[in-house]
Amino acid sequence: MQESSTLNLKRRQLLKLSGTLAGGVALAGLSRSSLADAMPGSPVFTAPTAANPIRINFNENPLGMSPKAQAAARDAVVKANRYAKDEIIALRSKLASQYQVPESAILLTAGSSEGIRAAVEAYATLDTQLVIPALTYGDGEHFAKIAGMKITKVPMLDGWQFDIEGLKRAVAEYGGPSLVYLVNPNNPTATITPADLIEPWIASQPADTMFIVDEAYAEFVNDARFRSVGPMIKQGAGNVILLKTFSKIFAMAGMRVGYAVAQPAVIARLANRVAGEKINFCGVDAALASLEDQAFITYSKKSNDTSRQILLQALNALNLRCLPSEGNFAFFQLGVPLAQFQQQMKQAGILVGRAFPPADGWCRISFGTPQEMTFVAKTLHEFRSKGWV
């Protein structure tokens, strides 16, 4: 009886907090005018159904593209019978200015996946190994297998952290070239690897080693220990490729616009592995508009921070272990089989992430809107009362 009363108290406390957070504006520090500028006409939350579920399974941005980016994409349809040659040059130029590198240090790609493939293929030889942490985003391994590369997986540390010293040993003890793929923040864990662990390794310039650093989620990070490798490239580092995408903070996952940043000689090598910068007109113009829409970037970040707080508060109240999240998703340990949890959440109108071996018993949940995460938090508490989580 006492346990039931405690659970009910926790539920009331959580829902009270979630109701406050769901408003989002005050917590995020956004004025009503800036919110209106960022997302005018935002849809009103309605309870999900099986036919219209809350989709928090693919690390997508639930806000949709900024209105300015949407308008730019619509306008691009009218001129899409032409190639976006001038616009591609403009986008490359704007990104080069952002990173303070020559335009020849930028390669536009169809999302970051094309950049991963191009980087792997550009450095794949019969004796090159791909060195990766045991739990990370799978595209690097996928393309390395297609290229016939040797793949060396390094076990994770406690808390599913990268073992940088173990990764170093895997490179140092190998007799041939190495390609090191690091995702920071990592997917599916949402944790960061501090720059003080990565930068010295890159700066030491291990022989015959190229680093691919995938920073798809960097714009969501709050931890000051994180730093992009972009400044290292600006300062002349020739052994690192930075991969970026417009899919996450800018909510352009379906538009497939990404880019690589590296020294011009490295970019030229990658360019031989793509079909030219053949980015679609709508995507290019949306990307250009997104880079200029600071109100939306700020709102997108603050909305994500709010949704993160709602979910983490719920997981903490339920005593479910969750890794420190620095992305637009969280990775937490379940007390029930993942497949069972996925099915029950689906029946409740919520889609959650797939299995990520070797992290058996863990679940990845992407962040929806604050209103959606309030519903998710409420559902998790209802599941606890039924013994489902």
Side-chain angles (χ1 to χ4, degrees), residues 64-244:
M65 294 192 301
S66 84
K68 292 179 181 178
Q70 291 183 37
R74 285 193 296 270
D75 291 345
V77 171
V78 178
K79 53 187 178 181
N81 59 311
R82 309 295 183 185
Y83 293 112
K85 292 185 179 295
D86 290 342
E87 289 77 7
I88 283 173
I89 292 171
L91 180 56
R92 191 191 313 118
S93 176
K94 188 175 290 291
L95 291 169
S97 177
Q98 176 180 313
Y99 286 92
Q100 300 180 39
V101 296
E103 291 184 26
S104 55
I106 303 289
L107 177 69
L108 300 181
T109 60
S112 59
S113 291
E114 186 180 37
I116 298 169
R117 181 188 57 75
V120 168
E121 288 184 358
Y123 289 89
T125 65
L126 293 178
D127 62 343
T128 299
Q129 69 165 345
L130 178 75
V131 178
I132 55 173
L135 180 60
T136 194
Y137 184 56
D139 271 12
E141 180 181 1
H142 170 70
F143 291 122
K145 285 181 178 178
I146 293 174
M149 292 176 63
K150 169 183 169 60
I151 298 169
T152 301
K153 292 186 178 182
V154 177
M156 309 291 281
L157 298 175
D158 290 343
W160 300 108
Q161 293 290 321
F162 289 173
D163 182 0
I164 295 297
E165 292 303 316
L167 293 164
K168 287 181 181 179
R169 286 193 299 273
V171 170
E173 294 172 0
Y174 186 64
S178 293
L179 192 58
V180 180
Y181 178 56
L182 301 174
V183 183
N184 198 25
N186 189 33
N187 180 15
T189 65
T191 54
I192 62 125
T193 300
D196 288 347
L197 297 179
I198 295 175
E199 291 174 353
W201 187 18
I202 295 174
S204 71
Q205 299 184 19
D208 295 324
T209 302
M210 177 61 72
F211 294 87
I212 304 172
V213 182
D214 188 336
E215 295 181 3
Y217 302 95
E219 290 82 1
F220 295 114
V221 174
N222 294 313
D223 193 326
R225 297 175 301 161
F226 171 87
R227 287 190 297 274
S228 172
V229 297
M232 297 189 74
I233 296 170
K234 173 192 171 185
Q235 294 161 12
N239 61 338
V240 58
I241 301 165
L242 168 61
L243 297 180
K244 295 290 296 180

Side-chain angles (χ1 to χ4, degrees), residues 211-376:
F211 294 87
I212 304 172
V213 182
D214 188 336
E215 295 181 3
Y217 302 95
E219 290 82 1
F220 295 114
V221 174
N222 294 313
D223 193 326
R225 297 175 301 161
F226 171 87
R227 287 190 297 274
S228 172
V229 297
M232 297 189 74
I233 296 170
K234 173 192 171 185
Q235 294 161 12
N239 61 338
V240 58
I241 301 165
L242 168 61
L243 297 180
K244 295 290 296 180
T245 181
F246 282 85
S247 295
K248 306 306 177 182
I249 192 80
F250 298 111
M252 288 176 51
M255 295 299 243
R256 310 312 303 140
V257 181
Y259 58 96
V261 187
Q263 294 304 315
V266 175
I267 289 295
R269 188 166 174 172
L270 267 61
N272 290 330
R273 299 292 176 171
V274 301
E277 293 175 309
K278 307 295 186 186
I279 310 301
N280 74 82
F281 221 137
C282 295
V284 172
D285 277 9
L288 283 165
S290 293
L291 289 172
E292 295 295 326
D293 195 350
Q294 188 57 54
F296 176 78
I297 297 171
T298 299
Y299 177 53
S300 187
K301 169 70 165 58
K302 293 297 184 180
S303 176
N304 190 76
D305 286 345
T306 304
S307 293
R308 179 192 291 118
Q309 187 170 343
I310 293 170
L311 180 62
L312 296 189
Q313 179 73 22
L315 296 176
N316 182 63
L318 295 170
N319 293 315
L320 293 172
R321 180 190 178 195
C322 183
L323 301 183
S325 171
E326 295 293 338
N328 64 342
F329 55 98
F331 200 53
F332 68 99
Q333 192 168 20
L334 284 167
V336 296
L338 175 61
Q340 172 186 317
F341 178 70
Q342 285 176 311
Q343 183 60 32
Q344 290 164 337
M345 288 289 273
K346 183 177 181 180
Q347 291 172 354
I350 303 169
L351 304 183
V352 299
R354 60 178 174 82
F356 290 94
D360 299 324
W362 288 72
C363 179
R364 187 189 72 183
I365 285 186
S366 310
F367 300 144
T369 64
Q371 292 82 2
E372 288 174 334
M373 299 318 291
T374 300
F375 183 91
V376 171

